[in-house]
Amino acid sequence: MNASAGTSRDFRGLIREVPDFPKPGISFKDMTPLLGNAAAFSAALSEMASWYSHEEVAYVVGIEARGFILGSPLAQLLHAGFIPVRKEGKLPSASRRAAYELEYGMSAIEIHEDSIPHGAPVIIVDDLLATGGTARATLDLLEQLHATVLGCAFLMELSWFDGRMRLQPHEIRSLITFSS
Ligand code: AMP
């Protein structure tokens, strides 16, 4: 990446589209080329952090697994704690659970029930917004814990699924939008 690193087009060029993964008909958006490019990874995180530069974010809630990769450094940039939302059965202590439908299957996620103090301001981070089912389930968990959700941040968004609709009224930000 050169001095112009950081525009949406630069980032998009570092997403590899893998047809028919993990199932026929799914075009998987692989962010590993972007992660492997130090300048691009840093610029992407800086831009995502800038969305919240005027907010007090107490916790970044990252969704397993790719939400961990983006959420942990983002938490550091925002001087916030990091809270993992994990696939069912992975968290060791008492947890809340929410089931949801994926673009390619069903799943359930969990959060430690004592992880967030009542009312604490949080953001949700994941790699990609498709139908919004995963983020909606995460919002449901955060509502159970009475967290204050400031917004949801994604590296990528597949706009034709209209996942934003399911996440209303929360503010949704994404760095790269795929429209077709
Ligand atoms: P959804 O719940 O439909 O918004 O799907 C978002 C979740 O599924 C994210 O955690 C993504 O990592 C994953 N995902 C869904 N579709 C894709 C895709 N086409 N490429 C990469 N990841 C995807």
Side-chain angles (χ1 to χ4, degrees):
M1 301 283 284
N2 55 29
S4 70
T7 71
S8 271
R9 198 180 305 162
D10 294 329
F11 295 133
R12 187 175 173 147
L14 290 168
I15 302 299
R16 174 168 47 197
E17 301 203 37
V18 184
D20 300 319
F21 182 87
K23 286 187 173 175
I26 302 290
S27 171
F28 191 86
K29 305 294 184 280
D30 174 21
M31 67 174 181
T32 61
L34 190 154
L35 298 178
N37 182 314
F41 189 22
S42 173
L45 290 167
S46 295
E47 193 159 331
M48 292 174 80
S50 76
W51 298 337
Y52 305 99
S53 58
H54 300 295
E55 315 240 34
E56 279 291 323
V57 179
Y59 298 98
V60 172
V61 176
I63 304 175
E64 186 172 0
R66 291 181 290 277
F68 293 177
I69 297 170
L70 300 170
S72 305
L74 204 49
Q76 291 288 295
L77 288 173
L78 293 170
H79 307 290
F82 178 80
I83 309 288
V85 163
R86 297 214 61 182
K87 301 273 163 57
E88 192 173 26
K90 300 283 187 187
L91 287 172
S93 191
S95 302
R96 299 295 181 101
R97 176 183 181 277
Y100 64 103
E101 207 172 323
L102 273 175
E103 187 187 353
Y104 40 77
M106 285 292 296
S107 196
I109 50 173
E110 294 182 337
I111 192 167
H112 274 149
E113 63 184 18
D114 63 353
S115 55
I116 301 174
H118 277 214
V122 307
I123 62 166
I124 295 173
V125 175
D126 203 0
D127 64 326
L128 183 141
L129 173 65
T131 67
T134 314
R136 180 69 255 172
T138 304
L139 280 169
D140 293 344
L141 290 174
L142 293 172
E143 274 163 25
Q144 289 183 45
L145 300 191
H146 306 287
T148 301
V149 178
L150 300 175
C152 304
F154 301 92
L155 180 70
M156 301 173 276
E157 177 176 358
L158 308 184
S159 64
W160 59 93
F161 285 110
D162 216 6
R164 284 171 178 258
M165 284 294 288
R166 290 180 75 176
L167 308 181
Q168 282 181 350
H170 298 287
E171 187 185 66
I172 310 305
R173 319 276 314 237
S174 55
L175 200 56
I176 308 164
T177 303
F178 291 88
S179 309
S180 59

